[in-house]
Amino acid sequence: MRIAINTGGGDAPGLNAVIRAVTLSALANGWEVFGIRRGYDGLLEDIPNGVIRLDRRAVRGITHQGGTILGTTNRGNPLKWAQKGPDGEMIEVDRSGELIEAFEKRGIDVLVAVGGDGSLSIAAGLAKRGLKVVGVPKTIDNDLDSTLTTFGFHTAVQTATDALGKLHSTAQAHRRVMIVELMGRDAGWIALFAGLGGTADVILIPEIPYDIEKVCEKVESRYRGDRGFCIVVAAEGAKPAGGSASYVEEAKAGRAARLGGAAETLASEIEERTGHEVRSLVLGHLQRGGEPTAYDKVLALRFGTAAVHLIEQGHFGCMVALDPPEILAVPLEEATAKLKLVPTHGEIVQTARRLGVSFGD
Ligand code: F6P
């Protein structure tokens, strides 16, 4: 058996642990393992060492490393490949046939596709076209529906919570409102967990559109008491009631729209309305970098090993999913059918509210 592994979409701490787990458990079966570089680019584009052999040596000591030794991309979708059309404009073409041929030519029997919503939807499309695929869920956003959680999320929350801890002292020293923009795309999981753990006063998430007046009321209440400072966490997808999220780049061929600007907009609105000094910051890609937490390492190692176990059983077209205490297999189509958003009346939101957190509603 010859299997290949690739990592697609935005990186997430724990990718290397999956690569190591897949490689070691496949080698133990006497299989050959290959890594495809930069998503599918290693098979579709002329890049040096596009497909590399993974042996014990190649995956030694990588569990603790962030990033991915294979590289990744959130561009190259083989089903909707962006390229210049006859008139020089960007168009999308389907290169899946060429890709499946490339797998056959190299004698690769099965692909382990490690990715988030986008990459796993691509994997589902390839499975439909006949490729044997097993998916492994990855995303710091925690927005994949069929798994309790994804690796990368815990690390991102830890990084963001640490940042909030540091912001408290400077906010207090200057009697300022500090607004922190956190990642998560259309889901507020990172903002909710980090905001709760980092004791933010206001948490704004896409699932609960905010009223700026309510946000300012909470800010003012912090200055009426003896606190005199306020920490606001805004998910990058946070939006005012009746309005839309803030973007820095529109969607174009082969690329999703890029969110950004939520914290900056809030900062000027809050400063104007309350007169308090406000500073905003965007934590950005720091949330995706660095060593995975122990939780994410263990989850990634479990997922990688479970993926190989599914291949042993001849179970394809599915994704491994955490359903404690088990790791289960879920059909890729089902796993990518909808995003997992924060339940607005769920226990975690209620807990935050009982602790005095304002969601600006
Ligand atoms: O999906 C992961 C994620 O980090 C989102 O939270 C964020 O919106 C996006 O990727 C950023 O993507 P890029 O790396 O292209 O800036």
Side-chain angles (χ1 to χ4, degrees):
M1 172 87 87
R2 287 158 79 92
I3 69 166
I5 176 165
N6 76 346
T7 52
D11 65 336
L15 283 170
N16 283 323
V18 176
I19 296 169
R20 176 167 168 269
V22 168
T23 303
L24 294 186
S25 34
L27 290 175
N29 287 344
W31 302 350
E32 287 179 279
V33 189
F34 298 88
I36 306 167
R37 305 282 300 282
R38 291 191 229 146
Y40 296 97
D41 284 6
L43 283 173
L44 290 175
E45 296 290 271
D46 186 20
I47 61 170
N49 300 317
V51 178
I52 56 171
R53 182 180 280 276
L54 295 175
D55 55 15
R56 282 188 162 272
R57 204 188 160 88
V59 299
R60 193 171 285 161
I62 63 169
T63 301
H64 62 282
Q65 289 172 8
T68 155
I69 59 165
L70 298 175
T72 187
T73 173
N74 47 16
R75 288 164 194 242
N77 177 350
L79 309 176
K80 288 180 180 180
W81 192 269
Q83 63 183 45
K84 273 206 177 128
D87 304 324
E89 81 291 9
M90 291 307 282
I91 56 163
E92 289 177 343
V93 295
D94 184 350
R95 293 185 69 187
S96 59
E98 196 186 327
L99 181 67
I100 290 173
E101 257 175 44
F103 276 109
E104 282 165 4
K105 221 157 121 193
R106 289 179 180 268
I108 294 169
D109 304 297
V110 183
L111 169 69
V112 177
V114 191
D117 169 50
S119 308
L120 294 174
S121 299
I122 296 170
L126 293 173
K128 252 192 184 162
R129 289 162 173 79
L131 192 72
K132 287 180 180 159
V133 191
V134 170
V136 175
K138 157 254 46 161
T139 168
I140 64 162
D141 302 340
N142 192 36
D143 58 358
L144 279 165
D145 193 43
S146 306
T147 178
L148 177 70
T149 192
T150 46
F151 65 86
F153 172 63
H154 192 267
T155 307
V157 168
Q158 188 63 56
T159 300
T161 306
D162 290 348
L164 290 175
K166 291 186 180 183
L167 283 175
H168 270 77
S169 55
T170 173
Q172 186 163 23
H174 286 266
R175 295 181 60 81
R176 281 176 174 156
V177 180
M178 298 295 299
I179 307 180
V180 191
E181 183 175 313
L182 299 180
M183 282 185 167
R185 226 178 262 281
D186 300 319
W189 293 107
I190 299 177
L192 178 61
F193 273 66
L196 188 54
T199 66
D201 307 297
V202 180
I203 301 176
L204 304 177
I205 58 175
E207 295 86 344
I208 306 179
Y210 64 84
D211 172 349
I212 191 67
E213 295 296 339
K214 296 272 170 58
V215 174
C216 291
E217 267 170 34
K218 178 66 186 182
V219 171
E220 290 292 17
S221 76
R222 296 275 304 166
Y223 284 81
R224 276 198 297 276
D226 60 356
R227 299 305 279 152
F229 72 96
C230 185
I231 304 287
V232 178
V233 166
E236 60 183 356
K239 48 179 173 266
S244 58
S246 164
Y247 288 88
V248 284
E249 211 179 300
E250 284 177 10
K252 45 185 172 213
R255 264 211 81 122
R258 277 178 61 214
L259 286 155
E264 213 181 309
T265 306
L266 279 159
S268 49
E269 286 181 334
I270 295 174
E271 191 156 277
E272 200 183 298
R273 283 176 161 81
T274 66
H276 297 302
E277 203 175 9
V278 185
R279 292 289 186 271
S280 67
L281 72 141
V282 179
L283 202 58
H285 293 80
L286 279 176
Q287 293 159 94
R288 293 220 311 244
E291 181 170 353
T293 57
Y295 181 89
D296 278 341
K297 285 178 194 166
V298 172
L299 183 59
L301 294 169
R302 291 175 71 195
F303 276 166
T305 306
V308 170
H309 192 52
L310 288 181
I311 301 173
E312 286 163 16
Q313 296 168 321
H315 201 143
F316 306 115
C318 54
M319 177 193 92
V320 296
L322 178 64
D323 185 1
E326 307 295 338
I327 305 271
L328 304 177
V330 180
L332 276 167
E333 292 237 329
E334 188 185 317
T336 52
K338 65 175 171 52
L339 289 181
K340 178 177 67 190
L341 300 178
V342 172
T344 53
H345 298 289
E347 178 272 326
I348 309 173
V349 169
Q350 295 310 330
T351 296
R353 288 193 196 276
R354 284 194 196 108
L355 293 173
V357 171
S358 164
F359 285 86
D361 59 339

